[in-house]
Each structure stands twice: as C-alpha cells, then as structure tokens.
Amino acid sequence: MELLNPLMLWGGLAIAIPIIIHFWHQKKGKVLAWAATQWLLEKNLQQSRGLRLDNILLLLLRCLLLLLLCFLLSKPVFDWSDAPSSSQKIHLVQPNKLIIDNYKFELQDALKKGEKIYWIQPVLTLAEDLGHVPQTDNFNPLFLQSCLNKLAQTIDKEDIALYLINSQNLAQVPKIFVPSAFNLLTIVDTSKNNLKPYLAFGNKKLFVNAANQLALQSESPNNNTYTGSPANNAPIEVLILNQNNAEKQTILASLKALEEVYKITLTADTEINKHKKYNWVFSDKPLSSKSEYDSESTLNIISNTDNIPANQLRYQKNTIQIPYGLNPQTSAAIFNGEFPEWLAETLIKHYDLNPVPTVLSNQQLQSIFTKSGAVKSHQENELARILLFAFIIILSIERYIAITKNA
C-alpha cells in the first residue's frame, strides 16, 4: 500500500475531540426538583464513582468516521495485482556499442529466452539484431521517459532491465518514472577523455587542482592531465567603462591583486580600443546590444543597477548585474577586501574551469529512477469509491443512533 498524501494521517489525532466531548457532557448533571427526596433514606443513596461509558457504540462510530476520513484524504493506493511477477523481462537498451559489448552475454541470453529487447529511441523500436546498433543523436532522458510511457501501455507484470550510459545528462530531469519493477544497468564511457579545462598564459596553465583551488603550473612533457584546446590562450583583456574614478581604481587594484596572486596576465583599458576583443567589460551603465568590444565570450559586469531604469536593463548572455556601486561605502566585499576573491570565482565560473562531474553516483541514480504508481488510475478510483461508500454508511448509522437516543 502507498499513500499519495500521507500528511493527512496527522488528522487522525482529531479522534480526541469526540472523546473529550463525550466525557464533558457526562460530567454535566441536571438538577430536578422532587418533593419526595426528603423521604429517601441516606443509606439508600449511592455515590457514582469513576467514569461511565454511555453510548459507547456512538463514540466508537464517531472516532471511526474521523479515522476513515483521514485515511480517505491520504489517498491510499493498493496494488491489486500483487501476484508474483513472471520470469520474463523487458530490456530497454540505449543504442550504444559500448553497452552492447559490455552486456553482450545478458542481451544474447535474453534473446534465447524470447524476451523483448527495445532500443531507446523517439519511436520505441524492437531490437532483433544486436549487431546493428541504430544511430541516435542527442540522447536525453526525455527520450527514455517517452519510451517508458509507451511501454507502460503494453506491459503486464514483466520486470524492466534498463541499460544506460552513466552520464550527467540523466540528471536533466528530476525524476524518471518506470512503470514496473526495474533493474538499472549502467556503464561509464571511459573511451572519451574527460579533459579538464584550463587557461593558457605562455607556457603556463591556470586550472582548478584536486584540492579545488586555482593553481598555475608550468607545462611539462609528462603532464597530460590538462590537454586539448584551452578556454583562453592569451592575456585576459579587460575594459573598464565605469565613470566613477573611485570605482575604476577599485577595479584596477583588484585586477592587479588577482594578477599578482595567480601570476596571470591581465591588461586593462579605461577607453575603448577598436582593435581589441575584450574578455571582461566593467560598466555602471547598460551596454548596447551590439558594440565593437562585445562578443559571445565577453563577460559583462554591470554595477550600480539599482540606479538604472528598469526599461533600460535587459537580459544579456554572460552578464552579471550588481545592484550597488563598487566602492567601500556601498559594497561589503570591497570594504572587506574580498573583491579580488570574487573576481577569481567569477573567472572560474565564466571559463568553466571547475565543471560538474560527468558521472552520477549510485545514490544519485537511485534518486532519479523511481517506480511509478503501482496501480492503474481506474483501480485508484475504485478504491476511493469503496472508502467513500463505507464512510457514508457509517455516517448514516451514527446519525440514526444519535437521533433515536437524542445523544
């Protein structure tokens, strides 16, 4: 059994209300004037001690009504087809030769048993020849979910075996719902070198090391950790368009500190040079959509945006908007000397020097893949109707007893 809204069960604590009301009414006695009371002997008078449970059936019915209502609102779901599943499986395979080679024995054994094997494609395709792997571009979890949704319309009680490449692409969606019990078989594609990005300055490389720190090292023939094309292989060109001289000096000093600490090469201009393509642009005014210093890789840092009219601000790619001015009076980062550190973090993020891991852990995979509702929607509606009918019957009995006994 599964509860779709389990928090409603806390409403079961409300059964204390009819119990309290029941005993509260019993404590209240009615004074009746009776002239013959004086003839009663004191020895015949008996005191009632303890609590009397009058109308106990009515009390139980009211408590049962509250519990049944809470249970109904929690939306219980039962798996009516709880029979043991058959030994047959359905295999859903991502079209990839690496998967076929790694799980060749399991897939060939499935073909011998007559089990169905499907390729994960926009159109669910039955795999009859494992030697012919179809080409699928831009595999994503939406394709996988679409195949699982189509499979849910034909599946009976078979388990599902999922064969996938373990990659960060699977985390593009929060959940992937599998319509039956499933077994997840993944493999890491080590054929592609997970190259670490870096910035090149002459014969030196700036990168994020294993300690998650920005570091600079000289290039050596034995160092193959950082290979491929660098994110930037020239001095970082900076343009400062801030009109406030104090802000200009603050930015220049911070860039100088960044250059001295990490031994990188930065060139800063306070006027536009039409022969340059700038990597960073600082400004305290909105930038035009097309400018001689702008490019797709340019990082724009616009400060003091609180004083810029909203109709002049617009979303721009690679743009950071700072609401305050870059001076010690308005910025705590400037006042505490943390602006160079912020610039270093911005540099790492802009050039993607510390990318997210490309492989998911087993815990992450288990959190993404989950079994969908155990029953069909008509079964869930049938259960709700049964509970509602029982609630009405019990309510009718409770009202009948309450009216006849005037309780």
Side-chain angles (χ1 to χ4, degrees), residues 94-199:
Q94 179 180 345
N96 190 289
K97 191 175 184 303
L98 181 63
I99 293 180
I100 302 301
D101 294 340
N102 190 75
Y103 294 104
K104 189 174 183 179
F105 174 80
E106 289 84 349
L107 294 174
Q108 287 181 346
D109 186 59
L111 288 176
K112 291 179 182 178
K113 293 180 180 179
E115 297 175 345
K116 294 181 179 180
I117 300 177
Y118 293 96
W119 297 116
I120 301 175
Q121 290 184 305
V123 178
L124 195 62
T125 306
L126 192 64
E128 298 178 352
D129 182 13
L130 297 178
H132 177 68
V133 181
Q135 296 292 330
T136 300
D137 298 329
N138 299 325
F139 172 82
N140 60 69
L142 295 179
F143 286 169
L144 175 58
Q145 187 64 71
S146 177
C147 292
L148 290 171
N149 294 341
K150 295 175 182 176
L151 196 62
Q153 301 174 3
T154 59
I155 196 171
D156 186 13
K157 300 177 183 178
E158 299 90 349
D159 292 345
I160 299 177
L162 295 171
Y163 301 82
L164 302 169
I165 295 292
N166 186 342
S167 69
Q168 191 70 27
N169 290 334
L170 295 173
Q172 293 178 1
V173 294
K175 288 289 183 182
I176 297 177
F177 297 97
V178 186
S180 179
F182 63 93
N183 185 21
L184 197 58
L185 304 170
T186 62
I187 185 172
V188 178
D189 188 359
T190 58
S191 61
K192 298 180 180 179
N193 294 324
N194 294 322
L195 304 178
K196 296 184 178 181
Y198 66 93
L199 299 179

Side-chain angles (χ1 to χ4, degrees), residues 22 53-59 61-62 397-407:
H22 181 81
L53 294 178
D54 295 336
N55 298 323
I56 184 63
L57 179 59
L58 191 60
L59 175 62
L61 288 176
R62 288 171 177 172
I397 296 174
E398 186 272 338
R399 286 289 84 201
Y400 174 77
I401 297 175
I403 292 173
T404 56
K405 291 191 175 184
N406 193 23

Side-chain angles (χ1 to χ4, degrees), residues 223-293:
N223 180 23
N224 296 322
T225 304
Y226 304 91
T227 56
S229 301
N232 187 69
N233 57 359
I236 298 177
E237 302 288 349
V238 182
L239 175 62
I240 304 175
L241 297 178
N242 298 68
Q243 295 181 345
N244 188 292
N245 290 328
E247 291 190 13
K248 283 185 180 180
Q249 296 302 321
T250 297
I251 297 172
L252 288 171
S254 300
L255 293 174
K256 187 66 175 179
L258 190 65
E259 186 176 12
E260 291 178 354
V261 171
Y262 297 106
K263 308 300 180 184
I264 60 179
T265 306
L266 293 166
T267 60
D269 294 341
T270 56
E271 295 182 359
I272 299 175
N273 187 338
K274 296 182 179 181
H275 301 287
K276 285 186 178 182
K277 286 294 183 181
Y278 292 99
N279 304 109
W280 289 4
V281 175
F282 290 85
S283 177
D284 54 3
K285 287 188 175 182
L287 301 175
S288 59
S289 58
K290 294 181 180 180
S291 56
E292 61 273 15
Y293 53 78

Side-chain angles (χ1 to χ4, degrees), residues 72 76 379-389:
L72 180 62
Q379 294 175 338
E380 180 182 344
N381 294 333
E382 180 182 355
L383 177 60
R385 286 195 296 268
I386 293 174
L387 292 176
L388 182 60
F389 180 74

